[in-house]
Amino acid sequence: MAGGFVSQTPGVRNYNYKLTPKVFVTCFIGAFGGLIFGYDLGISGGVTSMEPFLEEFFPYVHKKMKSAHENEYCRFNSQLLTLFTSSLYVAALVSSLFASTITRVFGRKWSMFLGGFTFFIGSAFNGFAQNFAMLLIGRILLGFGVGFANQSVPVYLSEMAPPNLRGAFNNGFQVAIIFGIVVATIINYFTAQMKGNIGWRISLGLACVPSVMIMIGALVLPDTPNSLIERGYTEEAKEMLQSIRGTTEVEEEFQDLVDASEESKQVKHPWKNILLPRYRPQLIMTCFIPFFQQLTGINVITFYAPVLFQTLGFGSKASLLSAMVTGIIELLCTFVSVFTVDRFGRRVLFLQGGIQMLISQIAIGAMIGVKFGVAGTGNIGKSDANLIVALICIYVAGFAWSWGPLGWLVPSEISPLEIRSAAQAINVAVNMFFTFLVAQLFLTMLCHMKFGLFFFFACFVFIMTIFIYLMLPETKNVPIEEMNRVWKAHWFWGKFIPDEAVSKGAAEMQQKSV
């Protein structure tokens, strides 16, 4: 493709590159890893609202759902039902810790392949499930797949993308997640209208399709230059870098990658070293960003949108349709981040999205409180119901161009090579742990906290927006291996970064400019 580009960020290296078809294709295929996560996020909530599925595995919940005297807030409250959804994320948490070693030793692509393979086996268990035990085994296998994919794909995309476009390419992972959610909600809408048990079986069994896509994609993908250097394939790494950058003038970037790899090899215990003060910014961010991402409350919408809409008085078909609409809105708005994250930066999107989510959540909680009160009784009119759906769409849009994609992008781009696999494993583990907690506790929290649950999540959105404003420096256009300069310049994190972590790079830059 025409045109060369040079990073203009002051204080960091400038790398020459062109936008090549190869980098587009590899990042597009690599982003397939998000499909399996997204499909599961979208499919589980719809399936748990299908009457044949509830009759088969959760008859107690089905009986409560049909009761005319049940409190609206507590209609779906069941720890066993939420375990069906949340068990996946415990498995993903555990597998992400193993995945960091596989990603480092064998490369990013084989971690992606293993994720697709285990997800495929899990989809078969779920599609042919005859009892709750088969469902649970299937969910655990799906979780292993999600853990491997979520650990490797964001790192793969960040390492393959040019520095000035790393945000846009990495956000392809979030686009794939949301696309998977939309496809799942569409499938749920049609399978819910099928008679008998065939509908939910098709919904769960079709998870094999995105898993096959990621397996095939992993087989044809090249590995990243960073990973090749890390595993001793220096010449292949240089050729790959030239191929994806569209130029033979890659000496400066290649040498930076080699230097970073040499430094990383001196770190024998990345899990121990990430606890050192010099890596304190990365450790805090890889813990707090996924923590806050889940406490936005987005998975209340993603997991249980059909259940939530039925709680608000929607019919079964209307609730699935409303969930499909919110999914499409989220997909379209994710592209806003793709096209703006490298222009306006991470902080602007984080802060704007946080404010938008905060206002809409307060409005949703207030409306539900007025209509249902604390007792959970009452009716909601069509116009009010449509307004709530609109407010949910505004909330989802704010998440889609801020905490959704950036929650994966920022942790994957801020860590030096010597701790990158460990940092990403922590990121995924924290994300999956709090995803599990939200999934497991939401229906119980809704039953006990009522409309106050939305104010609960709004409080966290307020706290995380302040956190980003104070603690996260801007990282757009900064090469991954030069990220220490950003932390050193920060008002708080600078004291943790030793001078030699940036002075070495400055000396090298000065030497090369002579």
Side-chain angles (χ1 to χ4, degrees), residues 237-487:
K238 187 172 185 179
E239 292 174 5
M240 178 55 59
L241 188 62
Q242 291 173 339
S243 178
I244 61 177
R245 296 294 182 256
T247 177
T248 57
E249 299 177 3
V250 297
E251 288 298 332
E252 191 172 33
E253 183 176 4
F254 177 71
Q255 189 58 49
D256 283 346
L257 296 180
V258 171
D259 291 344
S261 178
E262 290 301 318
E263 290 182 18
S264 72
K265 288 177 181 177
Q266 298 175 18
V267 178
K268 302 300 182 182
H269 306 287
W271 288 98
K272 181 179 178 180
N273 281 73
I274 199 172
L275 300 176
L276 295 175
R278 66 183 298 163
Y279 301 121
R280 192 62 45 78
Q282 293 89 344
L283 178 62
I284 295 299
M285 289 298 164
T286 52
C287 288
F288 275 81
I289 287 179
F291 164 73
F292 282 136
Q293 186 191 48
Q294 296 312 308
L295 269 296
T296 59
I298 187 62
N299 283 336
V300 169
I301 307 299
T302 306
F303 292 149
Y304 298 115
V307 172
L308 179 62
F309 287 129
Q310 284 197 44
T311 298
L312 296 176
F314 287 65
S316 178
K317 188 174 180 180
S319 66
L320 288 170
L321 183 61
S322 298
M324 186 167 61
V325 170
T326 57
I328 293 172
I329 293 293
E330 188 172 3
L331 175 62
L332 294 176
C333 290
T334 301
F335 282 101
V336 174
S337 181
V338 170
F339 293 113
T340 60
V341 67
D342 292 311
R343 181 178 180 183
F344 299 117
R346 284 68 162 148
R347 282 172 53 85
V348 170
L349 294 180
F350 264 131
L351 297 175
Q352 191 281 329
I355 294 170
Q356 183 170 321
M357 288 190 293
L358 176 64
I359 294 172
S360 54
Q361 278 184 319
I362 292 173
I364 293 167
M367 280 200 67
I368 294 175
V370 169
K371 295 299 176 182
F372 290 103
V374 177
T377 57
N379 294 307
I380 187 167
K382 184 177 180 180
S383 60
D384 289 331
N386 290 336
L387 180 56
I388 289 178
V389 172
L391 288 170
I392 289 175
C393 287
I394 293 171
Y395 161 77
V396 165
F399 177 85
W401 59 56
S402 62
W403 280 91
L406 301 184
W408 293 106
L409 166 62
V410 173
S412 72
E413 70 178 357
I414 61 175
S415 297
L417 185 62
E418 62 266 23
I419 62 163
R420 191 170 300 154
S421 291
Q424 183 63 9
I426 292 172
N427 176 43
V428 175
V430 173
N431 191 299
M432 292 300 107
F433 177 72
F434 285 99
T435 301
F436 161 75
L437 283 184
V438 171
Q440 186 64 33
L441 299 177
F442 165 65
L443 294 178
T444 299
M445 292 172 72
L446 180 63
C447 180
H448 290 86
M449 297 178 69
K450 284 58 175 195
F451 62 88
L453 180 60
F454 292 92
F455 298 142
F456 170 81
F457 286 121
C459 288
F460 276 99
V461 172
F462 176 77
I463 293 169
M464 66 184 70
T465 303
I466 298 299
F467 174 82
I468 291 296
Y469 179 78
L470 293 176
M471 307 305 291
L472 181 68
E474 184 53 66
T475 58
K476 71 171 182 176
N477 298 340
V478 181
I480 294 179
E481 311 307 339
E482 292 289 310
M483 205 62 71
N484 271 336
R485 296 181 177 280
V486 175
W487 299 114

